[in-house]
Amino acid sequence: GHHWGYGKEDGPSSWYKNYPVAEGNRQSPIDIVPNEASRDRDLGPLMINYDHCTSINISNNGHSVVVEFNDSDDRSVIKGGPLDNPYRLKQFHFHWGGKGHEGSEHTVSGKGFASELHLVHWNAVKYKTYGEASTAPDGLAVLGIFLEGSITDFKGFNPKCLLPSSLHFWTYLGSLTTPPLHESVIWIVLKEPIEVSEKQLGMLRMLLFTEEEDNQKMRMENNFRPPQPLKGRRVRSSN
Ligand code: BO1
Ligand code: ZN
């Protein structure tokens, strides 16, 4: 299998050994400090069209739970905001912690959230495949949404149901947050979190890192990378 994970030996602080770009100039996630983000009037509204999206499967890839979509046409795309082209939905997955307010990858003024949803999209106007886009500087757009624990309902798997009511966002140029850590992502992080119940967070924490038949059952918890140095990057704000 994989030579990276979230444990003591194979966790984020050792990823640079196999993936030297871990110490690169546009790594993700970051700590977003709202007062240091620049209001950018050139950023148009974010447009999300998930009306006719078709999910294909759901799996535990050993690092997270992933739902994959049919990306053979432009039926589910995001556009606008910092994006010059429509970007097609490829998959969504989550990062989460073991308890409390730890588990998101991005933080806001040092504050974490219980979980973070990543909707991964690719630029099918400029690139032929997701694989090709995933190594290009403008190849991917990941929409990050914070989850916080509460007793609110969370129904259905149309990703439209996963969006908060406000689409105000922060945006910056970054990377994949797991190996291969390619610096190919236009990050769009929504300011408004969505709410899930502790019971639903508990269901994420019941997933296993290890395969079902493995004797050494390892709870899938704390599968997040901590914030990385900004290295002079500017975070822009939609409002
Ligand atoms: S994230 O949204 O920055 N956490 C992120 C991290 C890694 C990927 C996507 C989003 N990696 C992609 C790889 C593909 C792989 C796919 C599996 O994950 O680019 O090579 O097939 O879902
Ligand atoms: Zn992710």
Side-chain angles (χ1 to χ4, degrees):
H2 286 99
H3 41 277
W4 66 270
Y6 293 94
K8 242 196 164 65
E9 302 283 306
D10 64 356
S13 60
S14 62
W15 291 350
Y16 74 96
K17 294 173 202 163
N18 285 112
Y19 304 94
V21 75
E23 300 180 309
N25 290 326
R26 60 171 274 192
Q27 288 290 293
S28 295
I30 59 167
D31 179 42
I32 296 171
V33 180
N35 287 332
E36 306 205 327
S38 14
R39 170 75 212 282
D40 190 338
R41 290 177 184 282
D42 298 339
L43 285 171
L46 190 61
M47 287 171 279
I48 303 179
N49 182 355
Y50 291 155
D51 280 334
H52 302 284
C53 62
T54 42
S55 57
I56 298 171
N57 58 45
I58 182 165
S59 63
N60 174 343
N61 68 1
H63 309 294
S64 184
V65 52
V66 186
V67 175
E68 295 193 295
F69 290 83
N70 179 338
D71 63 351
S72 63
D73 62 27
D74 274 340
R75 78 178 83 207
S76 35
V77 296
I78 57 169
K79 58 187 186 178
L83 308 174
D84 291 334
N85 298 116
Y87 282 64
R88 276 184 201 170
L89 181 62
K90 163 85 172 165
Q91 51 113 316
F92 71 74
H93 62 270
F94 297 86
H95 301 264
W96 61 89
K99 60 173 194 301
H101 292 268
E102 188 181 74
S104 64
E105 297 210 296
H106 290 90
T107 55
V108 179
S109 299
K111 176 185 178 285
F113 295 83
S115 173
E116 187 172 328
L117 163 65
H118 287 160
L119 291 140
V120 183
H121 309 75
W122 62 286
N123 186 341
V125 176
K126 283 183 75 172
Y127 306 102
K128 283 194 290 292
T129 62
Y130 170 80
E132 188 190 339
S134 76
T135 62
D138 58 351
L140 303 184
V142 181
L143 185 59
I145 303 177
F146 298 120
L147 278 68
E148 60 187 1
S150 83
I151 48 167
T152 308
D153 241 37
F154 183 80
K155 297 192 191 75
F157 270 109
N158 182 327
K160 210 176 169 177
C161 311
L162 302 173
L163 302 175
S165 55
S166 152
L167 293 182
H168 290 141
F169 59 91
W170 293 290
T171 184
Y172 74 97
L173 296 179
S175 72
L176 297 179
T177 63
T178 65
L181 300 170
H182 295 315
E183 294 184 332
S184 59
V185 181
I186 299 171
W187 275 96
I188 301 167
V189 178
L190 297 189
K191 296 185 179 186
E192 186 185 334
I194 56 173
E195 306 206 347
V196 297
S197 66
E198 273 303 321
K199 191 168 157 192
Q200 289 161 328
L201 289 167
M203 289 166 73
L204 289 175
R205 295 175 185 136
M206 278 167 57
L207 291 163
L208 299 176
F209 276 131
T210 43
E211 285 170 68
E212 200 59 63
E213 50 275 18
D214 201 311
N215 290 323
Q216 191 180 317
K217 301 221 184 308
M218 295 282 291
R219 286 255 107 68
M220 188 178 281
E221 282 182 341
N222 301 314
N223 59 349
F224 61 94
R225 186 189 198 195
Q228 301 301 303
L230 261 185
K231 302 207 173 165
R233 285 175 288 178
R234 273 268 166 235
V235 177
R236 294 184 294 156
S237 173
S238 67
N239 68 323

